[in-house]
Amino acid sequence: MKKIYILLVVLSLPPLISAQVWVTAGYGFSWLNTDGADFVIDHYNDARNYLSKELDKPGAFTGFGINGGLNFISIQMDVRYNSRSTQLTSEGVVNGTNFKREIDMSFNSFGLGFGYGAFEDMIGYGVGLTIEIISPEISTRITGSTETKVDITSFSTAVSPQVILMIKLSEDIPLGFTIRPYYTIGFDEIDYSELNKTINPATYANDQADDQVSKLKGFGIELQFGLITSLGF
């Protein structure tokens, strides 16, 4: 009789225990602090009075992201990749020739998230943080010349406290979208001295090293769409 009772309990577990899973992709915006790069750009603009358009400073970054996650007994885990980039430009006339410099700056990150979450009916949420490894990349070019890749810090680590809101579109169709606001807190300083050397070859040697480094930090938000469904165990 006892064995039959245990068997009945085991057979009843699948409808009682379930997990929410999702795989989504979409677009994101970040507003990041890049004080070290700002210092380099200020020197670039100050040394060139022929610019009709000064070199932009980094501010808003945009890009693609993908995320997969699991919420089981209120424990939420997810993995994600996102790429945030921006393009900076300056323009002017040198010896009667139009001049344009472009700088492409990007931060590609891989993250592992942990937190607490819940899902009821059509809406779910999660609160936690993502541990990130960030790979910065910078390249620059001048009109009519080849592109130069700037050697900077290989990797930087960061954590991002986050909130995830999940909304299903229908009870019958396992599709929905997620909204994720977060704040990035960088642990390692990113060194922009090679960018300084590349675009300010006549003045970079006189600049203080501390002025050319900064930690990545700032707000971001992602909007993604994809599979959101429940699985029984």
Side-chain angles (χ1 to χ4, degrees):
M1 185 67 181
K2 184 177 180 181
K3 292 182 179 179
I4 294 175
Y5 176 76
I6 294 173
L7 178 61
L8 290 173
V9 171
V10 171
L11 292 175
S12 68
L13 286 178
L16 295 177
I17 300 178
S18 64
Q20 284 70 47
V21 297
W22 63 92
V23 179
T24 58
Y27 211 67
F29 300 85
S30 298
W31 293 267
L32 298 172
N33 168 70
T34 53
D35 285 348
D38 292 352
F39 173 86
V40 172
I41 290 169
D42 280 337
H43 277 218
Y44 177 88
N45 290 330
D46 291 344
R48 291 163 177 81
N49 57 13
Y50 53 80
L51 294 177
S52 58
K53 178 184 181 299
E54 291 191 338
L55 186 61
D56 308 309
K57 291 183 182 179
F61 291 75
T62 61
F64 171 81
I66 186 169
N67 174 236
L70 167 71
N71 187 317
F72 180 65
I73 57 173
S74 298
I75 299 173
Q76 187 162 294
M77 297 176 289
D78 66 276
V79 292
R80 67 178 59 253
Y81 164 80
N82 67 51
S83 177
R84 295 164 284 185
S85 63
T86 189
Q87 185 177 86
L88 318 174
T89 61
S90 66
E91 298 178 10
V93 178
V94 180
N95 297 324
T97 302
N98 291 331
F99 165 93
K100 183 177 182 180
R101 176 181 286 279
E102 296 176 327
I103 297 177
D104 294 324
M105 182 179 296
S106 65
F107 298 98
N108 303 309
S109 68
F110 301 86
L112 178 62
F114 303 91
Y116 168 85
F119 207 104
E120 296 183 7
D121 298 326
M122 304 279 288
I123 299 177
Y125 71 89
V127 179
L129 60 84
T130 293
I131 301 170
E132 293 182 276
I133 297 176
I134 300 173
S135 174
E137 295 181 2
I138 298 178
S139 61
T140 183
R141 58 194 163 275
I142 298 174
T143 305
S145 67
T146 58
E147 183 172 88
T148 301
K149 186 172 182 179
V150 179
D151 291 327
I152 58 173
T153 308
S154 297
F155 294 100
S156 176
T157 56
V159 296
S160 296
Q162 64 184 17
V163 176
I164 302 176
L165 176 65
M166 294 168 280
I167 302 175
K168 292 185 66 176
L169 299 180
S170 167
E171 292 183 357
D172 301 322
I173 302 174
L175 295 175
F177 63 89
T178 66
I179 302 171
R180 174 185 172 248
Y182 61 93
Y183 187 85
T184 299
I185 305 170
F187 292 140
D188 308 302
E189 289 185 328
I190 297 176
D191 187 350
Y192 299 95
S193 60
E194 285 299 316
L195 175 63
N196 196 11
K197 183 177 180 180
T198 301
I199 68 174
N200 296 318
T203 60
Y204 79 93
N206 298 320
D207 293 330
Q208 297 296 315
D210 290 346
D211 293 329
Q212 303 170 67
V213 299
S214 59
K215 295 180 180 179
L216 202 64
K217 60 183 179 180
F219 287 100
I221 188 167
E222 290 178 344
L223 176 62
Q224 298 189 355
F225 175 82
L227 172 72
I228 301 176
T229 189
S230 297
L231 297 178
F233 289 85

